[in-house]
Amino acid sequence: QTAQTNWGELIRAAATNASLKHAYWPEIERVVAEQIRSARMGLGKGAWQLFVEDGEMKMYRREVEEDGLVVDPLKATHQVKGITGRELCHYFFYPEYRYDWEGTLETMNIVDKIAEDTILFHQIHKRIWPAAQRDATFWSHLTHVPDEENKSEDSPHMWATVNNSVELPSHPPNGGKQVRIYLTIILMGQTIISPAAKGREIKRDDITCKITYCAVVNPGGWAPSSVLRAVYKREYPKFLKRFTAYVLEKTKNLPIKL
Ligand code: 16C
């Protein structure tokens, strides 16, 4: 299924009209499709090294440098019982929850709400000594591929949020006291329903969310490699644990949103 799946077509079918009409759409469709494809690819080829393992959570990286800057791609997988892929992506995408779980944030501004499923952000992140403070401008798009009959691991159903840097004339890079970082990030969730729930009402105990999170962050300007690698080694696991615990807490008494 994976090789033949036309992700562009599926993403288009899920998008709102306001997103489809926007000038960014062709880029959004291309980047989101590419991110979904690579998130689903597995670790097969490429020199992925495991650098964090904590229960079901596994984090892999590739050591890559561009112009002397560390841009190590990250690929993380996790499994969390009791939440759905839709719930996962809901809390990641919608800005009203971001300060609750995003520990690296100093400020978040909504630059433009293009549509219910596409938002433009400007974020300022916490400073890490001795480097300069960083900021980012990016679009964020929420998408899903439904498959009501077959919520198994090899069906294409999934929810995803993709964040991708974009230049905004209203927020030129390095205009303030921050150095602009460039990011491409996907958070993807697939809901697996236990076969034991067949023919009866599904409970939170019956569902498991298979999570894939991939990130490439270019620090945009000088930062010592050792500091950078130490920071992401600490921050990525902290994020994924904290964020999934947050979604579990928020949803535990709510009806399941498949
Ligand atoms: O995906 C995540 N968050 C999303 C919503 O905010 C969004 C943003 C991603 C930005 C990630 C880069 C932030 C780096 C800023 C500096 C970190 C400060 C840490 C201070 C701690 C007190 O997609 C979850 C993001 C999870 C965190 C990732 C951290 C990755 C660090 C990579 C190195 C950045 C270069 C820093 C240069 C000094």
Side-chain angles (χ1 to χ4, degrees):
Q1 145 280 128
T2 318
Q4 288 86 359
T5 307
N6 185 339
W7 292 105
E9 195 177 299
L10 296 171
I11 294 158
R12 230 175 298 137
T16 60
N17 275 329
S19 286
L20 294 170
K21 277 192 295 200
H22 197 274
Y24 288 165
W25 180 257
E27 203 217 10
I28 294 174
E29 184 181 304
R30 178 182 63 76
V31 175
V32 173
E34 179 187 287
Q35 288 300 304
I36 293 173
R37 229 175 271 124
S38 79
R40 294 175 65 103
M41 195 123 75
L43 297 151
K45 287 178 210 108
W48 290 103
Q49 342 165 341
L50 182 70
F51 72 102
V52 173
E53 190 166 11
D54 185 345
E56 290 293 336
M57 184 172 85
K58 293 184 180 65
M59 295 196 159
Y60 306 82
R61 60 154 177 201
R62 277 189 291 125
E63 289 194 8
V64 177
E65 290 180 25
E66 267 169 30
D67 303 322
L69 297 178
V70 169
V71 293
D72 299 358
L74 168 97
K75 181 158 190 159
T77 58
H78 197 6
Q79 285 203 32
V80 177
K81 217 177 150 168
I83 60 173
T84 68
R86 180 178 185 178
E87 291 162 342
L88 182 90
C89 291
H90 176 93
Y91 291 98
F92 188 74
F93 175 75
Y94 288 103
E96 57 265 43
Y97 309 110
R98 194 152 308 156
Y99 283 108
D100 293 347
W101 59 263
E102 175 57 281
T104 75
L105 208 56
E106 188 120 340
T107 58
M108 174 205 71
N109 284 303
I110 299 169
V111 176
D112 189 8
K113 186 165 179 187
I114 291 176
E116 197 46 48
D117 54 351
T118 307
I119 304 177
L120 290 184
F121 291 100
H122 175 234
Q123 292 192 165
I124 300 177
H125 291 271
K126 287 182 181 162
R127 178 172 177 234
I128 320 170
W129 185 89
Q133 189 168 43
R134 261 54 180 180
D135 74 345
T137 53
F138 60 94
W139 52 254
S140 184
H141 181 67
L142 174 68
T143 188
H144 71 284
V145 174
D147 186 345
E148 292 316 319
E149 272 90 76
N150 178 22
K151 286 202 185 334
S152 67
E153 293 192 39
D154 48 0
S155 103
H157 88 274
M158 53 96 210
W159 282 78
T161 297
V162 175
N163 295 342
N164 189 236
S165 282
V166 65
E167 300 271 340
L168 301 176
S170 57
H171 296 75
N174 315 320
K177 59 177 165 54
Q178 295 89 23
V179 172
R180 179 64 48 87
I181 57 169
Y182 297 92
L183 56 92
T184 304
I185 284 170
I186 180 167
L187 177 72
M188 186 175 87
Q190 276 179 283
T191 311
I192 309 297
I193 304 173
S194 154
K198 222 181 167 82
R200 61 161 168 84
E201 196 197 345
I202 298 167
K203 304 209 171 56
R204 290 212 171 262
D205 254 2
D206 301 318
I207 55 176
T208 300
C209 186
K210 269 192 64 180
I211 302 168
T212 307
Y213 175 82
C214 303
V216 180
V217 178
N218 184 318
W222 181 83
S225 302
S226 57
V227 171
L228 240 146
R229 290 199 165 108
V231 168
Y232 80 63
K233 199 169 171 171
R234 183 186 70 211
E235 295 299 324
Y236 284 130
K238 204 161 134 189
F239 150 66
L240 204 53
K241 281 179 98 167
R242 184 178 178 183
F243 175 68
T244 50
Y246 176 73
V247 178
L248 268 167
E249 181 58 31
K250 288 294 266 189
T251 53
K252 66 178 185 204
N253 296 317
L254 297 178
I256 299 167
K257 280 182 112 181
L258 279 175

